Amino acid sequence: MRLRSVGMGEGGTPLVLLHGLFGQAQNFAGVQRALAASRRVLALDLRNHGASPHDAEMSYPAMAADVAETLAAEGATPAILLGHSMGGKVAMTLALTRPDLVARLVVVDIAPVDYPPAFRPYAEAMLALPLTPGLTRRQADAGLAAAIPSPGVRGFLLQNLDLGGAVPAWRNGLAQTAAALSVIEAAPPCPDGAGYPGATLIMAGETSDYIRAEHRPLFRTLFPAARFATVKGAGHWVHAERPEGFLAALGAFLD
């Protein structure tokens, strides 16, 4: 699948940004502009997200193959691959299966392990929202509030809601994504003996529990050149919550 790509900057080894679950390329807009001052930076919409095509298949090998196809079409290989959350699992999958396409790897606040179903209430609330003509963003926000107390999370999710048509609609493949949550929550498949030997940065948010001390041996097995960084004051959405710290940790790795 050819994915929607948003490009900025030029020169150097391309840096490719992969968003997390229910996200899209524009989530990286601020940091992409900063990074594009010194290199070519591509932000992709993964399948069933943003403006990319929809499909029932949501496995990590399928999503990694999408990225490989898109980078080949963009003439952007090998690339520095950066993935946050679900996008981090996609990035790890591509690095482990097609290391020739990945010049360096950056994994942001996710580990190659199974996670509990924390996002299922979000999907259920989004699917249950009545998409009636005339729906306003304020009404949609109120409709999600009981199931999703955090205003920040509701705002993040509502970026996917298109209110410009005669009838409101989710622009992402919400039904397909919701049906595939058990696959998305699971660890990406790791072929026996697989490993990515290239330079790797594992970046965690200080207040997030997505990356734990017990995950480090697995990271080192799969990514023997891995180094670890923690962004102070950041939770799971590291690049959005502490962009300066995110850029500083990334810059130190790239330099």
Side-chain angles (χ1 to χ4, degrees):
M1 179 184 292
R2 178 79 180 270
L3 303 173
R4 174 179 179 257
S5 172
V6 178
M8 295 183 188
E10 57 185 24
T13 303
L15 172 60
V16 178
L17 309 176
L18 306 179
H19 61 78
L21 182 62
F22 297 127
Q24 51 194 304
Q26 73 177 36
N27 298 148
F28 287 109
V31 298
Q32 185 180 11
R33 283 192 295 270
L35 292 164
S38 59
R39 68 175 65 245
R40 183 185 181 194
V41 186
L42 302 174
L44 307 185
D45 285 341
L46 296 172
R47 63 168 56 195
N48 293 319
H49 289 73
S52 283
H54 300 172
D55 195 276
E57 175 66 45
M58 282 286 285
S59 71
Y60 285 109
M63 290 192 280
D66 295 343
V67 174
E69 178 181 337
T70 303
L71 297 187
E74 293 279 357
T77 58
I80 301 165
L81 199 58
L82 182 153
H84 168 250
S85 198
M86 180 187 74
K89 288 186 175 181
V90 176
M92 288 187 278
T93 301
L94 186 59
L96 291 169
T97 56
R98 290 293 308 276
D100 57 303
L101 301 182
V102 182
R104 290 186 176 210
L105 176 66
V106 183
V107 177
V108 183
D109 215 57
I110 200 73
V113 299
D114 296 340
Y115 282 88
F119 284 83
R120 295 190 191 188
Y122 298 174
E124 292 168 1
M126 294 165 75
L127 287 168
L129 185 69
L131 300 179
T132 54
L135 180 72
T136 66
R137 181 181 173 86
R138 177 173 292 187
Q139 290 169 335
D141 182 79
L144 297 179
I148 307 170
S150 168
V153 173
R154 294 198 304 274
F156 168 75
L157 297 174
L158 286 172
Q159 291 179 25
N160 294 292
L161 184 60
D162 181 5
L163 297 173
V167 178
W170 295 106
R171 61 172 60 90
N172 59 336
L174 176 59
Q176 295 92 332
T177 303
L181 282 176
S182 61
V183 175
I184 296 168
E185 294 154 358
C190 298
D192 290 343
Y196 172 70
T200 301
L201 175 65
I202 311 299
M203 189 189 308
E206 181 184 33
T207 65
S208 172
D209 64 356
Y210 274 70
I211 294 179
R212 302 176 181 177
E214 58 263 32
H215 296 152
R216 290 198 176 197
L218 177 57
F219 272 121
R220 291 194 175 100
T221 297
L222 297 173
F223 309 101
R227 64 183 74 172
F228 297 83
T230 299
V231 177
K232 291 185 178 180
H236 181 56
W237 283 276
V238 183
H239 54 286
E241 296 176 19
R242 291 293 186 271
E244 299 86 356
F246 171 85
L247 289 169
L250 180 59
F253 174 68
L254 296 179
D255 292 342

mmCIF file of all heavy atoms in Angstrom, residues 20-23 84-86 110 115-126 148 153 156-157 178 181 184-185 210 236-237:
data_model
loop_
_atom_site.group_PDB
_atom_site.id
_atom_site.type_symbol
_atom_site.label_atom_id
_atom_site.label_comp_id
_atom_site.label_asym_id
_atom_site.label_seq_id
_atom_site.Cartn_x
_atom_site.Cartn_y
_atom_site.Cartn_z
ATOM 1 N N GLY A 20 1.604 7.094 16.161
ATOM 2 C CA GLY A 20 1.004 6.034 16.945
ATOM 3 C C GLY A 20 -0.459 5.799 16.608
ATOM 4 O O GLY A 20 -1.020 6.399 15.683
ATOM 5 N N LEU A 21 -1.087 4.930 17.378
ATOM 6 C CA LEU A 21 -2.480 4.550 17.178
ATOM 7 C C LEU A 21 -3.392 5.761 17.246
ATOM 8 O O LEU A 21 -3.280 6.587 18.161
ATOM 9 C CB LEU A 21 -2.878 3.522 18.246
ATOM 10 C CG LEU A 21 -4.288 2.959 18.192
ATOM 11 C CD1 LEU A 21 -4.528 2.206 16.897
ATOM 12 C CD2 LEU A 21 -4.542 2.046 19.391
ATOM 13 N N PHE A 22 -4.311 5.873 16.270
ATOM 14 C CA PHE A 22 -5.270 6.968 16.123
ATOM 15 C C PHE A 22 -4.597 8.300 15.815
ATOM 16 O O PHE A 22 -5.239 9.349 15.876
ATOM 17 C CB PHE A 22 -6.173 7.109 17.362
ATOM 18 C CG PHE A 22 -7.040 5.913 17.625
ATOM 19 C CD1 PHE A 22 -7.043 5.287 18.864
ATOM 20 C CD2 PHE A 22 -7.852 5.396 16.633
ATOM 21 C CE1 PHE A 22 -7.830 4.171 19.106
ATOM 22 C CE2 PHE A 22 -8.644 4.276 16.870
ATOM 23 C CZ PHE A 22 -8.637 3.664 18.096
ATOM 24 N N GLY A 23 -3.303 8.267 15.475
ATOM 25 C CA GLY A 23 -2.596 9.482 15.118
ATOM 26 C C GLY A 23 -2.537 9.666 13.614
ATOM 27 O O GLY A 23 -3.227 8.996 12.833
ATOM 28 N N HIS A 84 6.769 6.228 16.858
ATOM 29 C CA HIS A 84 6.225 6.410 18.204
ATOM 30 C C HIS A 84 5.100 5.416 18.443
ATOM 31 O O HIS A 84 4.211 5.240 17.598
ATOM 32 C CB HIS A 84 5.684 7.840 18.368
ATOM 33 C CG HIS A 84 4.860 8.019 19.600
ATOM 34 N ND1 HIS A 84 3.495 8.223 19.573
ATOM 35 C CD2 HIS A 84 5.212 8.011 20.915
ATOM 36 C CE1 HIS A 84 3.044 8.345 20.812
ATOM 37 N NE2 HIS A 84 4.052 8.220 21.638
ATOM 38 N N SER A 85 5.121 4.731 19.580
ATOM 39 C CA SER A 85 4.044 3.828 19.995
ATOM 40 C C SER A 85 3.781 2.783 18.909
ATOM 41 O O SER A 85 4.688 2.043 18.550
ATOM 42 C CB SER A 85 2.800 4.651 20.355
ATOM 43 O OG SER A 85 1.896 3.907 21.132
ATOM 44 N N MET A 86 2.575 2.695 18.374
ATOM 45 C CA MET A 86 2.314 1.727 17.315
ATOM 46 C C MET A 86 3.301 1.898 16.170
ATOM 47 O O MET A 86 3.796 0.911 15.596
ATOM 48 C CB MET A 86 0.881 1.879 16.799
ATOM 49 C CG MET A 86 0.501 0.912 15.687
ATOM 50 S SD MET A 86 -1.144 1.251 14.974
ATOM 51 C CE MET A 86 -0.764 2.727 13.997
ATOM 52 N N ILE A 110 7.803 2.767 23.350
ATOM 53 C CA ILE A 110 7.130 1.490 23.112
ATOM 54 C C ILE A 110 8.192 0.397 23.163
ATOM 55 O O ILE A 110 9.357 0.643 22.836
ATOM 56 C CB ILE A 110 6.391 1.476 21.750
ATOM 57 C CG1 ILE A 110 5.304 0.387 21.702
ATOM 58 C CG2 ILE A 110 7.352 1.353 20.603
ATOM 59 C CD1 ILE A 110 4.085 0.680 22.514
ATOM 60 N N TYR A 115 0.838 -5.416 25.064
ATOM 61 C CA TYR A 115 0.331 -4.373 25.965
ATOM 62 C C TYR A 115 -1.138 -4.641 26.283
ATOM 63 O O TYR A 115 -1.852 -5.244 25.479
ATOM 64 C CB TYR A 115 0.482 -2.988 25.321
ATOM 65 C CG TYR A 115 1.901 -2.456 25.393
ATOM 66 C CD1 TYR A 115 2.819 -2.749 24.398
ATOM 67 C CD2 TYR A 115 2.326 -1.701 26.484
ATOM 68 C CE1 TYR A 115 4.130 -2.282 24.477
ATOM 69 C CE2 TYR A 115 3.624 -1.231 26.576
ATOM 70 C CZ TYR A 115 4.521 -1.528 25.565
ATOM 71 O OH TYR A 115 5.821 -1.075 25.660
ATOM 72 N N PRO A 116 -1.592 -4.178 27.442
ATOM 73 C CA PRO A 116 -3.007 -4.362 27.796
ATOM 74 C C PRO A 116 -3.907 -3.529 26.896
ATOM 75 O O PRO A 116 -3.445 -2.584 26.240
ATOM 76 C CB PRO A 116 -3.064 -3.891 29.253
ATOM 77 C CG PRO A 116 -1.904 -2.964 29.404
ATOM 78 C CD PRO A 116 -0.832 -3.496 28.515
ATOM 79 N N PRO A 117 -5.203 -3.831 26.857
ATOM 80 C CA PRO A 117 -6.131 -3.173 25.926
ATOM 81 C C PRO A 117 -6.564 -1.780 26.373
ATOM 82 O O PRO A 117 -7.761 -1.498 26.492
ATOM 83 C CB PRO A 117 -7.298 -4.148 25.874
ATOM 84 C CG PRO A 117 -7.291 -4.807 27.207
ATOM 85 C CD PRO A 117 -5.847 -4.937 27.597
ATOM 86 N N ALA A 118 -5.630 -0.886 26.568
ATOM 87 C CA ALA A 118 -5.951 0.434 27.109
ATOM 88 C C ALA A 118 -6.726 1.304 26.125
ATOM 89 O O ALA A 118 -7.471 2.203 26.537
ATOM 90 C CB ALA A 118 -4.657 1.137 27.521
ATOM 91 N N PHE A 119 -6.566 1.075 24.827
ATOM 92 C CA PHE A 119 -7.187 1.950 23.836
ATOM 93 C C PHE A 119 -8.568 1.472 23.398
ATOM 94 O O PHE A 119 -9.248 2.165 22.635
ATOM 95 C CB PHE A 119 -6.278 2.069 22.602
ATOM 96 C CG PHE A 119 -5.095 2.980 22.816
ATOM 97 C CD1 PHE A 119 -3.942 2.524 23.433
ATOM 98 C CD2 PHE A 119 -5.152 4.302 22.409
ATOM 99 C CE1 PHE A 119 -2.858 3.365 23.632
ATOM 100 C CE2 PHE A 119 -4.075 5.150 22.599
ATOM 101 C CZ PHE A 119 -2.919 4.684 23.211
ATOM 102 N N ARG A 120 -8.997 0.324 23.866
ATOM 103 C CA ARG A 120 -10.301 -0.174 23.413
ATOM 104 C C ARG A 120 -11.463 0.723 23.839
ATOM 105 O O ARG A 120 -12.393 0.931 23.047
ATOM 106 C CB ARG A 120 -10.501 -1.611 23.884
ATOM 107 C CG ARG A 120 -9.496 -2.562 23.247
ATOM 108 C CD ARG A 120 -9.803 -4.016 23.506
ATOM 109 N NE ARG A 120 -8.681 -4.859 23.092
ATOM 110 C CZ ARG A 120 -8.705 -6.172 23.053
ATOM 111 N NH1 ARG A 120 -9.810 -6.817 23.418
ATOM 112 N NH2 ARG A 120 -7.643 -6.864 22.670
ATOM 113 N N PRO A 121 -11.465 1.280 25.062
ATOM 114 C CA PRO A 121 -12.552 2.202 25.404
ATOM 115 C C PRO A 121 -12.595 3.429 24.486
ATOM 116 O O PRO A 121 -13.685 3.958 24.219
ATOM 117 C CB PRO A 121 -12.233 2.604 26.845
ATOM 118 C CG PRO A 121 -11.420 1.476 27.383
ATOM 119 C CD PRO A 121 -10.598 1.008 26.230
ATOM 120 N N TYR A 122 -11.435 3.876 24.009
ATOM 121 C CA TYR A 122 -11.412 5.005 23.085
ATOM 122 C C TYR A 122 -12.130 4.629 21.790
ATOM 123 O O TYR A 122 -12.982 5.387 21.289
ATOM 124 C CB TYR A 122 -9.981 5.411 22.744
ATOM 125 C CG TYR A 122 -9.125 5.878 23.892
ATOM 126 C CD1 TYR A 122 -7.779 6.141 23.700
ATOM 127 C CD2 TYR A 122 -9.644 6.055 25.174
ATOM 128 C CE1 TYR A 122 -6.957 6.583 24.741
ATOM 129 C CE2 TYR A 122 -8.845 6.480 26.214
ATOM 130 C CZ TYR A 122 -7.501 6.737 25.989
ATOM 131 O OH TYR A 122 -6.694 7.161 27.018
ATOM 132 N N ALA A 123 -11.778 3.465 21.241
ATOM 133 C CA ALA A 123 -12.399 3.033 19.989
ATOM 134 C C ALA A 123 -13.908 2.849 20.157
ATOM 135 O O ALA A 123 -14.700 3.252 19.288
ATOM 136 C CB ALA A 123 -11.753 1.736 19.506
ATOM 137 N N GLU A 124 -14.314 2.251 21.269
ATOM 138 C CA GLU A 124 -15.740 2.028 21.509
ATOM 139 C C GLU A 124 -16.497 3.353 21.594
ATOM 140 O O GLU A 124 -17.602 3.496 21.045
ATOM 141 C CB GLU A 124 -15.926 1.216 22.785
ATOM 142 C CG GLU A 124 -15.427 -0.225 22.660
ATOM 143 C CD GLU A 124 -15.348 -0.937 24.003
ATOM 144 O OE1 GLU A 124 -15.701 -0.309 25.030
ATOM 145 O OE2 GLU A 124 -14.925 -2.118 24.026
ATOM 146 N N ALA A 125 -15.905 4.334 22.278
ATOM 147 C CA ALA A 125 -16.556 5.635 22.413
ATOM 148 C C ALA A 125 -16.648 6.347 21.069
ATOM 149 O O ALA A 125 -17.672 6.981 20.748
ATOM 150 C CB ALA A 125 -15.786 6.498 23.413
ATOM 151 N N MET A 126 -15.601 6.250 20.269
ATOM 152 C CA MET A 126 -15.616 6.886 18.954
ATOM 153 C C MET A 126 -16.668 6.234 18.053
ATOM 154 O O MET A 126 -17.416 6.920 17.355
ATOM 155 C CB MET A 126 -14.226 6.798 18.312
ATOM 156 C CG MET A 126 -13.171 7.608 19.060
ATOM 157 S SD MET A 126 -11.479 7.160 18.585
ATOM 158 C CE MET A 126 -11.342 7.943 16.967
ATOM 159 N N ILE A 148 -13.925 9.045 28.016
ATOM 160 C CA ILE A 148 -12.547 9.521 27.869
ATOM 161 C C ILE A 148 -12.423 10.819 28.659
ATOM 162 O O ILE A 148 -12.646 11.915 28.137
ATOM 163 C CB ILE A 148 -12.197 9.746 26.380
ATOM 164 C CG1 ILE A 148 -12.515 8.492 25.573
ATOM 165 C CG2 ILE A 148 -10.729 10.145 26.216
ATOM 166 C CD1 ILE A 148 -12.444 8.682 24.076
ATOM 167 N N VAL A 153 -6.645 13.917 25.461
ATOM 168 C CA VAL A 153 -6.839 12.702 24.666
ATOM 169 C C VAL A 153 -8.035 12.866 23.730
ATOM 170 O O VAL A 153 -7.985 12.476 22.561
ATOM 171 C CB VAL A 153 -7.025 11.477 25.581
ATOM 172 C CG1 VAL A 153 -7.387 10.237 24.758
ATOM 173 C CG2 VAL A 153 -5.760 11.217 26.385
ATOM 174 N N PHE A 156 -6.985 14.905 20.821
ATOM 175 C CA PHE A 156 -6.157 14.096 19.930
ATOM 176 C C PHE A 156 -7.027 13.210 19.047
ATOM 177 O O PHE A 156 -6.845 13.146 17.828
ATOM 178 C CB PHE A 156 -5.192 13.267 20.776
ATOM 179 C CG PHE A 156 -4.472 12.173 20.039
ATOM 180 C CD1 PHE A 156 -3.435 12.463 19.171
ATOM 181 C CD2 PHE A 156 -4.822 10.843 20.231
ATOM 182 C CE1 PHE A 156 -2.767 11.448 18.493
ATOM 183 C CE2 PHE A 156 -4.158 9.825 19.566
ATOM 184 C CZ PHE A 156 -3.127 10.131 18.690
ATOM 185 N N LEU A 157 -7.998 12.530 19.637
ATOM 186 C CA LEU A 157 -8.858 11.629 18.881
ATOM 187 C C LEU A 157 -9.753 12.387 17.904
ATOM 188 O O LEU A 157 -9.992 11.929 16.779
ATOM 189 C CB LEU A 157 -9.715 10.799 19.837
ATOM 190 C CG LEU A 157 -8.955 9.865 20.781
ATOM 191 C CD1 LEU A 157 -9.912 9.221 21.776
ATOM 192 C CD2 LEU A 157 -8.198 8.788 20.005
ATOM 193 N N ALA A 178 -10.404 -0.594 14.954
ATOM 194 C CA ALA A 178 -11.020 -1.141 16.160
ATOM 195 C C ALA A 178 -11.065 -2.665 16.106
ATOM 196 O O ALA A 178 -10.813 -3.342 17.111
ATOM 197 C CB ALA A 178 -12.429 -0.573 16.320
ATOM 198 N N LEU A 181 -7.541 -4.264 17.035
ATOM 199 C CA LEU A 181 -6.820 -3.807 18.226
ATOM 200 C C LEU A 181 -6.048 -4.927 18.916
ATOM 201 O O LEU A 181 -4.962 -4.692 19.459
ATOM 202 C CB LEU A 181 -7.785 -3.144 19.208
ATOM 203 C CG LEU A 181 -8.189 -1.711 18.844
ATOM 204 C CD1 LEU A 181 -9.221 -1.180 19.841
ATOM 205 C CD2 LEU A 181 -6.985 -0.783 18.796
ATOM 206 N N ILE A 184 -2.811 -5.057 17.145
ATOM 207 C CA ILE A 184 -2.010 -3.857 17.382
ATOM 208 C C ILE A 184 -1.423 -3.870 18.788
ATOM 209 O O ILE A 184 -0.275 -3.441 19.001
ATOM 210 C CB ILE A 184 -2.874 -2.604 17.147
ATOM 211 C CG1 ILE A 184 -3.300 -2.531 15.678
ATOM 212 C CG2 ILE A 184 -2.133 -1.334 17.556
ATOM 213 C CD1 ILE A 184 -4.371 -1.505 15.402
ATOM 214 N N GLU A 185 -2.170 -4.366 19.747
ATOM 215 C CA GLU A 185 -1.690 -4.416 21.133
ATOM 216 C C GLU A 185 -0.588 -5.450 21.336
ATOM 217 O O GLU A 185 0.210 -5.337 22.270
ATOM 218 C CB GLU A 185 -2.861 -4.744 22.067
ATOM 219 C CG GLU A 185 -3.928 -3.661 22.144
ATOM 220 C CD GLU A 185 -5.296 -4.203 22.521
ATOM 221 O OE1 GLU A 185 -5.449 -5.436 22.694
ATOM 222 O OE2 GLU A 185 -6.229 -3.383 22.633
ATOM 223 N N TYR A 210 5.429 2.749 29.561
ATOM 224 C CA TYR A 210 5.434 1.892 28.378
ATOM 225 C C TYR A 210 6.764 1.164 28.207
ATOM 226 O O TYR A 210 6.796 0.048 27.699
ATOM 227 C CB TYR A 210 5.131 2.713 27.126
ATOM 228 C CG TYR A 210 3.652 2.879 26.834
ATOM 229 C CD1 TYR A 210 2.845 3.673 27.652
ATOM 230 C CD2 TYR A 210 3.056 2.254 25.749
ATOM 231 C CE1 TYR A 210 1.498 3.844 27.386
ATOM 232 C CE2 TYR A 210 1.701 2.405 25.473
ATOM 233 C CZ TYR A 210 0.932 3.197 26.305
ATOM 234 O OH TYR A 210 -0.405 3.348 26.056
ATOM 235 N N HIS A 236 3.599 9.583 27.629
ATOM 236 C CA HIS A 236 3.676 8.695 26.466
ATOM 237 C C HIS A 236 3.838 9.466 25.151
ATOM 238 O O HIS A 236 4.570 9.035 24.265
ATOM 239 C CB HIS A 236 2.433 7.821 26.417
ATOM 240 C CG HIS A 236 2.411 6.859 25.272
ATOM 241 N ND1 HIS A 236 3.419 5.942 25.046
ATOM 242 C CD2 HIS A 236 1.489 6.667 24.266
ATOM 243 C CE1 HIS A 236 3.132 5.221 23.966
ATOM 244 N NE2 HIS A 236 1.975 5.645 23.481
ATOM 245 N N TRP A 237 3.155 10.604 25.015
ATOM 246 C CA TRP A 237 3.239 11.396 23.777
ATOM 247 C C TRP A 237 4.440 12.346 23.874
ATOM 248 O O TRP A 237 4.306 13.561 23.988
ATOM 249 C CB TRP A 237 1.935 12.146 23.539
ATOM 250 C CG TRP A 237 0.858 11.241 23.010
ATOM 251 C CD1 TRP A 237 0.653 10.872 21.723
ATOM 252 C CD2 TRP A 237 -0.166 10.571 23.770
ATOM 253 N NE1 TRP A 237 -0.428 10.019 21.615
ATOM 254 C CE2 TRP A 237 -0.952 9.815 22.852
ATOM 255 C CE3 TRP A 237 -0.509 10.532 25.133
ATOM 256 C CZ2 TRP A 237 -2.034 9.045 23.248
ATOM 257 C CZ3 TRP A 237 -1.574 9.764 25.524
ATOM 258 C CH2 TRP A 237 -2.330 9.023 24.592
#
